[in-house]
Amino acid sequence: MMIYERLLEYRDEKYSEFQSKLVPNISPDTIIGVRTPDMRAVAKAVAGTEEAAAFLKELPHKYYEENLVHFFIIAGIKNFDECVREVERFLPFIDCWPVCDQSSPKVFKKEHEKLLPLIKKWISSEHVYTARFGMRMLMNEFLDADFKPEYLDLVAQKRGEDYYLKMMVAWYFATALAKQYDATLPIIESRRLAPWTHNKAIQKAVESFRVTDEHKAYLRTLRV
């Protein structure tokens, strides 16, 4: 059975309509209407099979859900080098934020030293969703024990007018303010981000339960 046929078994047309409103930059005709747990179930069912191997070679896909299943399959690959090969082959085909944001390769957590140069390369990409993925991996993997203040610069210097790119920069800095406040605050104080992104980062930090009330009060004074 093809992945597409597997997905059709979970189709919900009302959910398709709902999903199309969340992802307005892709055609509604490409959204089957499958919930994320069901897509993860499809990916898990085929992982490691010849069907999955063939599917990973079938790019580009037609449907939004096919792209998500593709990335969910990649996220489960246990060999770092193989996983990276598949990630890099797939990144240019990502065309919306949910496909970019919902998949996090598990093997990345074990290979930070190898991962960091790749993250830097991805962030520097002109392709919006490759850069967004790179920033999200930096946020996921390098804001805790392996954090270094210079990593903030990789995102602070990223510029572009695409909404989803700017939102990722804001999301990164809001999370950095929650996890590494002292190191991150000087970038906000010195207004190194573009004005819209600066304000959005502050907004998201103020909305976060992980930022203290004292820090929120001060951040509000830094809006531009």
Side-chain angles (χ1 to χ4, degrees), residues 150-167:
E150 59 259 36
Y151 298 159
L152 298 167
D153 295 331
L154 297 173
V155 182
Q157 63 195 12
K158 188 65 182 180
R159 288 292 185 273
E161 289 306 310
D162 184 273
Y163 172 79
Y164 297 102
L165 185 75
K166 293 190 293 184
M167 277 299 294

Side-chain angles (χ1 to χ4, degrees), residues 45-59:
V46 302
T49 67
E50 290 183 9
E51 179 185 355
F55 178 70
L56 292 181
K57 294 176 183 176
E58 295 171 4
L59 288 169

Side-chain angles (χ1 to χ4, degrees), residues 132-144:
R132 183 177 169 110
F133 180 74
M135 287 186 277
R136 189 170 69 82
M137 289 299 99
L138 190 68
M139 180 178 74
N140 286 5
E141 304 293 341
F142 291 92
L143 277 180
D144 295 302

Side-chain angles (χ1 to χ4, degrees), residues 10-158:
Y10 297 102
R11 185 174 202 169
D12 181 333
E13 291 187 7
K14 286 187 177 180
Y15 187 72
S16 175
E17 292 173 14
F18 167 75
Q19 195 67 30
S20 66
K21 293 173 185 175
L22 296 180
V23 197
N25 64 311
I26 64 173
S27 170
D29 294 338
T30 65
I31 299 176
I32 299 169
V34 183
R35 287 171 171 77
T36 299
D38 295 326
M39 288 187 278
R40 289 189 183 277
V42 169
K44 186 176 181 180
V46 302
T49 67
E50 290 183 9
E51 179 185 355
F55 178 70
L56 292 181
K57 294 176 183 176
E58 295 171 4
L59 288 169
H61 299 302
K62 180 177 180 180
Y63 293 100
Y64 162 77
E65 287 89 350
E66 288 179 310
N67 280 326
L68 274 164
V69 169
H70 189 119
F71 222 178
F72 290 152
I73 293 171
I74 290 174
I77 295 174
K78 295 179 180 179
N79 178 276
F80 179 82
D81 293 333
E82 180 187 350
C83 184
V84 167
R85 279 197 302 274
E86 292 299 338
V87 166
E88 296 207 304
R89 213 162 60 83
F90 183 59
L91 285 175
F93 296 96
I94 298 178
D95 60 358
C96 62
W97 68 265
V99 174
C100 184
D101 291 1
Q102 291 192 65
S103 184
S104 299
K106 296 174 185 176
V107 72
F108 282 5
K109 293 192 178 300
K110 302 175 183 177
E111 299 282 1
H112 279 187
E113 193 172 329
K114 288 184 180 179
L115 181 62
L116 188 61
L118 294 164
I119 284 176
K120 292 177 179 178
K121 179 178 69 171
W122 295 333
I123 292 174
S124 69
S125 173
E126 293 298 312
H127 178 239
V128 165
Y129 296 105
T130 298
R132 183 177 169 110
F133 180 74
M135 287 186 277
R136 189 170 69 82
M137 289 299 99
L138 190 68
M139 180 178 74
N140 286 5
E141 304 293 341
F142 291 92
L143 277 180
D144 295 302
D146 287 346
F147 172 76
K148 291 182 181 178
E150 59 259 36
Y151 298 159
L152 298 167
D153 295 331
L154 297 173
V155 182
Q157 63 195 12
K158 188 65 182 180

